[in-house]
Amino acid sequence: MKFDVIIIGAGSMGMAAGYFLAKSGKKTLLLDSFNPPHNKGSHHGETRIIRHAYAEGEEYVPFVLRAQELWTDLEQATGKQLFLQTGVLNVGEEGSDFTRNIISSAEKYSLPLDIMDSNEVHQRWPGITLPDDYIGCFEPASGILKSEECIQAYKELAESHGATILTNSRVQDISVLDDRVIIKTDEETFYSDALVVSAGSWSGELLSTMLDLDLPLTAVRKTFAWFDADENSYNHEQFPAFNFETPEGIYYGFPSTDGCGLKVGRHDGGDEINPDESMQEFGEVAGDKEDLRQFLNGYLPEIQQLKYGKICMYPMIPDEKFIIDLHPKYPNIAIAAGFSGHGFKFSSAVGQALSNLIISGKNDVDLSHFSLKRF
């Protein structure tokens, strides 16, 4: 069967790309080894933070602002509430690179940002306790995305524009002959003019074995959990999403939505895994619970009672920057990989960028920071 574009990996980035390509009139096929949204990817766990004043670097800001616009467009197109403007509280030591980058990116792009000392943070949110030398950088315009609902929304829109989505369909071989791409799964062979690779934690192996592109991509097991919380104080209308840089690690969290409790996870660390092997469930690895509890004891001491935890995978790359680029040998193949645990918020804009790269070879938001040339 012949298509204009085939997308391998219909998760966060791939599903968005499928929508934009199908909307542009391209006959589009999405292939996924599972049935997105699912619990095998980095989108698992119901919610993700979207923040604008970016601690990882100013170069991300125009891209995340485009993503925010596109999430609003998705809400309007589907009639679903996918974004909750809870605000995001970023906490770290005053003068650290983390807090300096947030403040400088907010200043450069005129983003709303409230800077508070530790006492002011505690007065506004009494459940938070900080060391005296910490500050809080509060982004009132940022908040939470309902990650799995976002993917479902893009899935429905992509199909409404004629995209074909084949789930539980694993790619076994890729061949590139002149301007034609041949994809073989267990059951069928497909042909296309162009290809998008957005296979998450499976991208590294797929690119190296089938497309002659070795990249330092790995998969890491990550955990997060929900804890009982006073709904009057920690609900999403009263309490912000948060991102804490501490000596013990970088932790993030979400207020309680629909009575689910306070959600907490750790961004850094984690064990490297083979994505094809079963991951140990939350609590089966030493430190899963204890690590989150030590963070809560130090900074959110009212939160104690664990409700339940979950696991997901981060597709990691050493510099933790993204890869969004065309294949160096094949200009009809676009790649999105290595999102390193902070990519979901961008996935709407990544999907649009992949569509633009396939159609015109360029994107209107600068992608040079995410180029393959750095390797």
Side-chain angles (χ1 to χ4, degrees):
M1 192 177 296
K2 174 70 166 60
F3 291 86
D4 295 328
V5 187
I6 294 175
I7 299 170
I8 301 175
S12 309
M13 319 301 167
M15 197 69 80
Y19 161 66
F20 285 106
L21 284 162
K23 186 182 179 184
S24 74
K26 296 294 183 182
K27 185 179 180 183
T28 304
L29 169 66
L30 296 96
L31 298 170
D32 200 280
S33 298
F34 307 102
N35 187 9
H38 53 71
N39 62 3
K40 305 293 184 183
S42 53
H43 62 258
H44 182 49
E46 300 173 20
T47 49
R48 292 293 182 271
I49 293 172
I50 181 166
R51 46 196 169 86
H52 303 152
Y54 220 65
E56 288 83 350
E58 295 175 359
E59 65 270 21
Y60 290 91
V61 176
F63 205 33
V64 78
L65 293 178
R66 169 61 58 82
Q68 185 74 66
E69 293 173 357
L70 294 173
W71 291 124
T72 300
D73 291 348
L74 183 61
E75 287 186 312
Q76 293 173 346
T78 60
K80 298 179 180 180
Q81 185 183 33
L82 303 171
F83 168 69
L84 298 177
Q85 190 176 332
T86 62
V88 176
L89 176 66
N90 302 283
V91 167
E93 188 175 346
E94 186 174 13
S96 66
D97 289 344
F98 176 80
T99 54
R100 282 206 310 266
N101 284 344
I102 291 168
I103 293 168
S104 66
S105 64
E107 290 175 347
K108 181 173 181 177
Y109 292 97
S110 301
L111 303 174
L113 187 71
D114 300 330
I115 302 171
M116 296 173 271
D117 63 28
S118 58
N119 186 54
E120 289 171 324
V121 171
H122 181 71
Q123 287 180 340
R124 184 160 181 179
W125 300 287
I128 299 175
T129 300
L130 301 179
D132 291 341
D133 59 346
Y134 276 38
I135 62 171
C137 301
F138 179 64
E139 304 176 62
S142 298
I144 297 171
L145 292 166
K146 298 177 181 179
S147 53
E148 292 166 76
E149 291 187 34
C150 288
I151 292 175
Q152 184 63 36
Y154 270 134
K155 185 177 186 178
E156 293 169 5
L157 282 184
E159 290 180 317
S160 75
H161 285 281
T164 301
I165 302 174
L166 294 182
T167 59
N168 303 305
S169 185
R170 183 158 186 156
V171 171
Q172 300 298 338
D173 187 59
I174 303 171
S175 301
V176 185
L177 302 175
D178 298 324
D179 295 331
R180 184 173 64 167
V181 180
I182 305 170
I183 308 292
K184 294 183 179 180
T185 67
D186 289 328
E187 298 179 348
E188 296 183 70
T189 299
F190 303 97
Y191 304 87
S192 72
D193 299 322
L195 174 67
V196 172
V197 177
S198 56
S201 294
W202 288 265
S203 292
E205 181 182 2
L206 187 151
L207 291 167
S208 64
T209 60
M210 301 185 197
L211 289 170
D212 193 28
L213 187 61
D214 286 319
L215 297 171
L217 290 162
T218 57
V220 173
R221 174 185 179 269
K222 301 300 297 182
T223 61
F224 43 90
W226 286 259
F227 292 79
D228 282 327
D230 179 359
E231 292 295 322
N232 292 322
S233 300
Y234 294 94
N235 69 80
H236 72 269
E237 294 181 351
Q238 304 293 329
F239 202 76
F242 57 85
N243 195 31
F244 280 43
E245 184 184 66
T246 76
E248 296 78 26
I250 301 172
Y251 296 84
Y252 63 89
F254 302 77
S256 181
T257 56
D258 300 321
C260 69
L262 192 84
K263 177 184 171 185
V264 182
R266 180 172 176 176
H267 172 67
D268 59 330
D271 299 320
E272 187 174 328
I273 57 169
N274 180 341
D276 284 321
E277 296 179 357
S278 296
M279 286 191 292
Q280 292 174 286
E281 294 297 329
F282 179 84
E284 293 180 358
V285 173
D288 282 354
K289 302 174 184 178
E290 294 78 7
D291 185 43
L292 298 181
R293 281 207 173 101
Q294 66 82 21
F295 165 73
L296 292 170
N297 288 339
Y299 301 92
L300 290 155
E302 292 180 358
I303 308 299
Q304 292 291 323
Q305 184 61 45
L306 173 70
K307 296 181 74 172
Y308 58 92
K310 292 185 178 181
I311 54 172
C312 72
M313 279 188 279
Y314 278 8
M316 297 294 298
I317 201 156
D319 63 6
E320 297 190 14
K321 290 190 176 182
F322 311 153
I323 297 170
I324 310 168
D325 204 352
L326 295 171
H327 193 291
K329 293 183 181 178
Y330 310 118
N332 59 336
I333 298 179
I335 298 165
F339 289 93
S340 302
H342 64 116
F344 184 88
K345 64 182 75 66
F346 297 90
S347 55
S348 56
V350 174
Q352 186 183 62
L354 291 169
S355 177
N356 291 339
L357 289 175
I358 289 295
I359 293 170
S360 67
K362 57 185 179 181
N363 190 54
D364 57 342
V365 176
D366 182 22
L367 299 176
S368 61
H369 300 286
F370 314 126
S371 171
L372 282 163
K373 292 179 180 178
R374 71 185 193 269
F375 303 104

